[in-house]
Amino acid sequence: MAATKRTSAKSKSSSDSPVSLKAPKPADFTKEQELDAYRGMLLIRRFEEKAGQLYGMGFIGGFCHLYIGQEAVVTGLKMAIEKGDQMVTAYRDHGHMLAMEMSPRGVMAELTGRRGGYSRGKGGSMHMFSKEKNFYGGHGIVGAQVPIGTGMAFANQYRENANVSLTFFGDGAANQGQVYESFNMASLWKLPVIYVIENNRYAMGTSVSRSSAETDFSHRGLSFKIPGIQIDGMDVRAVKAAGEMAAEWCRAGKGPIILEMQTYRYRGHSMSDPAKYRSKDEVQKMRSEHDPIEQVKSRLVEKTWASEDDLKAIDKEVRDIVADAAEFAQSDPEPDVSELYTDITH
Amino acid sequence: MPIEILMPALSPTMEEGNLSKWLKKEGDKVEPGDVIAEIETDKATMEVEAVDEGTLGKILVAEGAEGVKVNEPIAVLLADGESADDLSLPLEGREASAASREGSQKSAEASVDPTPAGEPADPPLKGEGKGAKAPAAPKREVAADPDIPEGTEMVQTTVREALRDAMAEEMRRDADVFVMGEEVAEYEGAYKITQGLLKEFGAKRVVDTPITEHGFAGVGVGAAFAGLKPIVEFMTFNFAMQAVDQIVNSAAKTLYMSGGQMGAPMVFRGPNGAAARVAAQHSQDYAAWYSHIPGLKVIQPYTAADAKGLLKAAIRDPNPVIFLENEILYGHTFDVPKLDDFVLPIGKARIHRPGKDVTIVSFGIGMTYAVKAAEELEGQGIDAEVIDLRTIRPMDLDTVIESVKKTNRLVTIEEGYPQSSVGDFIANQVSQRAFDHLDAPVTTIAGKDVPMPYAANLEKLALPSVAEVVEAVKAVTYRS
């Protein structure tokens, strides 16, 4: 047990070399899995498009970071984990919340700052939580969620349960010092944490090659003996397979693991980003050749698991959910002024 | 029904922009995500993407138009089976003004979900509270100290032992409480505050961390979010500067930002302020810093009994508590009541010495100057009331103000820097709430406005002194 590991330096072996792992070969999805993935990713996409629209109309204020393009990452990982496993991420968080089955109404109403929002309108796009759904935020400070996710893993180990903490951060946050402080402790104490690096190639407007000495993020744990693998984060099957392997690794008491998800965001860093740091062709190429939703869609059609009409019905169902959330988020009242002074301390 | 495409805002402050280019023309098929136009402001150029699929039925604002208002319809999208003839309907009577937003909003919504016959959506709210008065901050009642039964044995205890006893008692009481920090386990604490804890509770609950304040403070916050009750020891609060983001942004604000769903039930503790001859980077009092932050409670005890009773309270408190100790006080001995469960209320000051001529307010090591000065003043015929704040946030100003109403004079003492100090805040509150009761200006005594020097003589000068307190009291009582 880790408890004994902490007792004495003698019990620590320092000769283990970092384990090298290979990305697991993704298994084909069943029809049901393909449909689940399609529905889940489409919900995120349509939700985010609607959020972008509401932002443009002035209903959503402040910062609003959309997850469009990256849907396969969180959707595939959610398919790989078990009840009780936790997620924590930074501020590009709407997709994670929807994947964790938080209510689209509650998320959208938080975006518009209304009382029916998850934080009763006091958190906004970047700061939302659901203890019930094991979603621990929603953090606005780049990298701050990494020690927090590590601490959640610490709690799992302390309680001797089998849960795993999925701690998401981007290629930008991967250069924050506290990430490596966390890696060190997580590996030292063999904490059950999956570090998911969502490498979408740009930290705001700075490309990975302009910001990172080591651009292979799966290697970022080498000094801490944390194994890492690179995954095609646009392929939901590859993501799910990697997530299952990683969760198994953690649950077996082997400590942390890094999954570098190679992904892409189609939209700017936030709504007010004109995205002049990359070419339109680059974006268009990703959209037309690697779109995570189109990949699933074409497999569904190819295998005749879904007709155009079936897919249209799913689209309609998803649009209705999003329309309902948007309607609620616009008509729900703002928080009562008495909320100004609630929840500061217990 | 046809869908209106509205002029989007690039930021919450944008009111209008230019429509620089149309990338689709009337009659073109459009899919969600397709770039249909480019708009620009003085700051940026942005692409307008389609949210819905359909055919671009009509362009309402021509390429090159300037000063297009946000939310003004710029084009109309037709769904399958709709023709441009349908356009007259929703566009009738519409004016490109803010007043029409409600209607256009409705049609945009209806187009996504044709079923609802509900009320039109409200226009974007820019803060209903604008012009409204902020409600008054609620007042919290704090219980008085518990009565100590007559005949209770008093045990001479150092502050160091009292802190250790508090942690041990709470760890026995609640399995979710654990201690983490540098050298807390095998070394038994850099200042021996965690002496004996590893032996009793084991390495699972007494956790030696690497030297990694930012990281382990955040790990503590994560564990607290997950329901554990960490006691995070900083070897000194000077090192907690590395962790201040986790303390302030993660621990203190999450209860509010989550609408009350989750918070950080934890204690950050360790020695704070100047010790002796450790110079500028190791000698800083953070009472004023942390007391600035909503969401935190801040305690700085002086006596061993307060250290014990308040640390137990802090560990049980469901909020993040900053518990500021002092290296010099660790070895001071005080009476501590021998009781099974001695817990004191957070947020309650203690009248350390009753008096009638002047009120002296301090906390933590500042109390050593106050106590000595009061003794000296007694010999000169001045009867000082000494108040130990104990908790800096939430602050028990009522006790201070009641005292000032009696003595009409106030002197505050702290070792921290003078600007925006704890004393400044007290002076401000007293001047607002008890101005008519003051017979002299409030005098605040603080450390000097300099980084702590190393040289013994300069260090002494940088800190407050008993002589300064005596002098200040004489000045406010007009006895020179």
Side-chain angles (χ1 to χ4, degrees), chain A residues 71 96 115 236 279:
Chain A
E71 296 91 344
H96 299 72
R115 62 180 62 171
V236 69
S279 72

Side-chain angles (χ1 to χ4, degrees), chain A residues 72-273:
Chain A
V73 178
V74 79
T75 306
L77 286 171
K78 178 60 175 56
M79 293 174 83
I81 61 175
E82 285 170 19
K83 203 170 157 36
D85 292 339
Q86 306 115 326
M87 275 193 194
V88 64
T89 188
Y91 42 76
R92 196 178 305 286
D93 55 356
H94 313 159
H96 299 72
M97 294 187 276
L98 296 173
M100 289 301 267
E101 295 165 17
M102 287 167 67
S103 110
R105 274 188 168 203
V107 178
M108 197 68 97
E110 190 58 42
L111 298 185
T112 55
R114 306 303 172 96
R115 62 180 62 171
Y118 266 97
S119 302
R120 301 217 293 270
K122 299 201 288 190
S125 165
M126 302 186 286
H127 316 109
M128 256 185 272
F129 308 79
S130 171
K131 202 160 198 171
E132 188 201 341
K133 302 287 187 188
N134 282 311
F135 181 72
Y136 285 79
H139 293 271
I141 307 295
V142 175
Q145 77 279 17
V146 181
I148 290 171
T150 308
M152 283 149 42
F154 179 95
N156 290 336
Q157 187 187 65
Y158 189 92
R159 293 195 162 123
E160 297 175 18
N161 65 30
N163 293 133
V164 170
S165 156
L166 274 76
T167 301
F168 292 76
F169 53 103
D171 47 280
N175 293 325
Q176 283 280 18
Q178 57 185 322
V179 169
Y180 298 92
E181 297 190 24
S182 303
F183 281 2
N184 185 44
M185 284 180 279
S187 183
L188 187 67
W189 299 335
K190 297 255 181 285
L191 300 180
V193 51
I194 304 175
Y195 294 112
V196 183
I197 305 181
E198 295 194 70
N199 177 6
N200 67 15
R201 303 194 197 175
Y202 297 92
M204 202 168 156
T206 305
S207 66
V208 159
S209 61
R210 290 176 56 226
S211 62
S212 299
E214 170 57 276
T215 57
D216 182 337
F217 291 96
S218 70
H219 289 172
R220 288 293 183 99
L222 284 182
S223 298
F224 308 95
K225 299 182 179 175
I226 304 178
I229 44 180
Q230 280 185 324
I231 308 295
D232 175 1
M234 306 301 273
D235 179 354
V236 69
R237 298 168 307 173
V239 173
K240 177 173 177 280
E244 281 167 348
M245 190 197 86
E248 197 179 317
W249 175 272
C250 289
R251 286 191 232 281
K254 294 179 182 172
I257 185 167
I258 293 170
L259 302 180
E260 179 193 343
M261 295 292 174
Q262 297 182 315
T263 183
Y264 200 80
R265 70 169 147 73
Y266 298 170
R267 296 291 186 99
H269 166 74
S270 69
M271 283 300 294
S272 48
D273 171 11

